[in-house]
Amino acid sequence: MLFAIGSAAADRPNIVFIFSDDHSPNAIGAYNRWLKSVNPTPNIDKLAAEGMVFERSFCTNSICGPVRAVIETGKHSHLNGFRQNGDKFNWDQQTFPKLLQASGYQTVLYGKYHMEGKPKGYDEWAVLPGQGLYYNPDFLTAEGKITKEGYCTDLVTDMAVEWLKEKRDPTKPFMLRVQHKAPHRNWMPALRHLGAFDDVLIPEPPTLFADHRFQASPSRNQELEIDRHMDLNYDLFVDLTAEFDQPASQKTQDRSAWMNMKRMTPAQLEAWHAYFDPKDKEFHEANLYGEALVRWKHQRYMRNYLACVKGVDESVATMMKTLEELGLSENTIVIYSADQGFYLGDRGWYDKRWMYEPSLEMPLIVKWPGVTAPGSRNHDLVQNLDYASTFLEMAGAEIPQDLQGKSLVPLLKGEKPAEWRDAIYYHYFEYPSVHMVARQRGVRTDRFKLIHFYQFDEWEFYDLDADPQEQRSQYDNPVYAAEVAKLKEQLETLRVEYGDDSDISAKPEDWRVKVRKGEVTE
Ligand code: CA
């Protein structure tokens, strides 16, 4: 049923879309994974208990800006034009907020958007330029750049609460996007959360020391290993100045870590040092190397990452409480998602980009009072490609024919549509670039996965039931020959169906030139 413009707000649900950055389902209690024991997200878990958890939720292209562009348009990267970070989003194209707005919704966007340019289709917006900063960040608004003192996650939440309480037009339904920078690198927790996980030993993933022997060469030739690539200062804020025996006045902290800390007020910086300095001293005295050093880095990484997650988890609680206070809970859909998963030491890595499960996954939890059964779990294959169609159907607005996703509304109602997809399509475009993850495309069904690193013409195939950690490619195993052939066919069928005519013949050297020219960035 379509609603006429001007329908009473009560007839059409409000949508609060809380979206974080790099939050792996492994670090959400409700997903029952290996970090559940440290209770990382009590408030997101509460939302899950009241709504539906999507267990097979995946992105189309595991990197910040492109995931957001797919959500905005409901179209794959090759069609919306935002293939990799550094691309510019064309705001003149059709987007779901514009369509919601035209159907009578108020649309609001706060926080990280990572798409550059002035957002279009929003009644109100304040966004972080680029990656944004954790402490005392700038925001771009329709009126120009502003700077706010405080912690980014809290500031974004505060703007959303203020909008609900003071700026909202109560006669209209709304779509409110609360989009956090956290827990994106470089992991800087709120001061109140420093040390929040210090009294527990963070569990290690089973693949922390994986060697990638039985996989295609790109998985060995990358730059995102905790061991070889995670920087003590840049990533973990370890003070290395003592090692260089330099006076404090000439500190040569790594430029980026130092730049992030330089943004803090003297009081913030003092609290930061009070927490980290004794730990850094202990670290230097321990003189770790080899596996012990990797384990120490993993603990420090996870403690900072999970403390950033804690800020996001509190934001979810604040949003829920505010909706309750305003009497909006019953007619508001609350969604929690993040742009992609993340390696939390899985495979020995950090970061994302790959089609392997830890970075292919996206958390997706939806509470729709009266529609989603409390505590329900869905196992269908869903993607960020589906969000635009879903939002439009939730709002009772028309879904244009050219959107490539499927509305999740039937799934949210607990129905199983006869014609649901049996495979998802993936295409990552950014190589060579930061972290050196080869371009790849592939398909994943409920059980199997095929990946093509086409610049190197290398393939991988996994049976996820037999090898859920994807440690041993079975591409050349004759036992799976028929399945490999079938997935190759599916890959080609989906490529044609989605209209992906990307040129995959160009060799890595061509991108090298782009990197040198500064045309490709993180
Ligand atoms: Ca991201």
Side-chain angles (χ1 to χ4, degrees), residues 20-22 63-65 68 112 184 339-342 352:
S20 62
D21 196 315
D22 296 356
I63 186 78
C64 307
R68 287 166 172 77
K112 182 166 176 183
H184 192 280
D339 58 354
Q340 8 67 209
F342 210 71
K352 53 248 181 183

Side-chain angles (χ1 to χ4, degrees), residues 1-14 100-106 169-174 331 394-397:
M1 181 172 64
L2 298 182
F3 292 88
I5 291 173
S7 294
D11 297 339
R12 309 173 77 186
N14 306 306
L100 280 185
Q101 212 174 25
S103 85
Y105 269 64
Q106 297 168 88
D169 174 355
T171 66
K172 286 178 164 183
F174 62 83
N331 195 35
M394 283 170 165

Side-chain angles (χ1 to χ4, degrees), residues 45 67 103 129 182 262 280 325 358 394 435:
D45 300 351
V67 168
S103 85
K262 209 167 77 173
D280 291 356
E325 281 170 14
M394 283 170 165
H435 297 303

Side-chain angles (χ1 to χ4, degrees), residues 417-433:
E419 289 288 314
W420 197 254
R421 64 169 68 88
D422 56 6
I424 58 156
Y425 183 74
Y426 184 85
H427 195 164
Y428 170 78
F429 295 84
E430 203 172 310
Y431 181 91
S433 186

Side-chain angles (χ1 to χ4, degrees), residues 35 50 147 374 413:
L35 283 169
E50 295 171 4
T147 303
K413 289 177 176 168

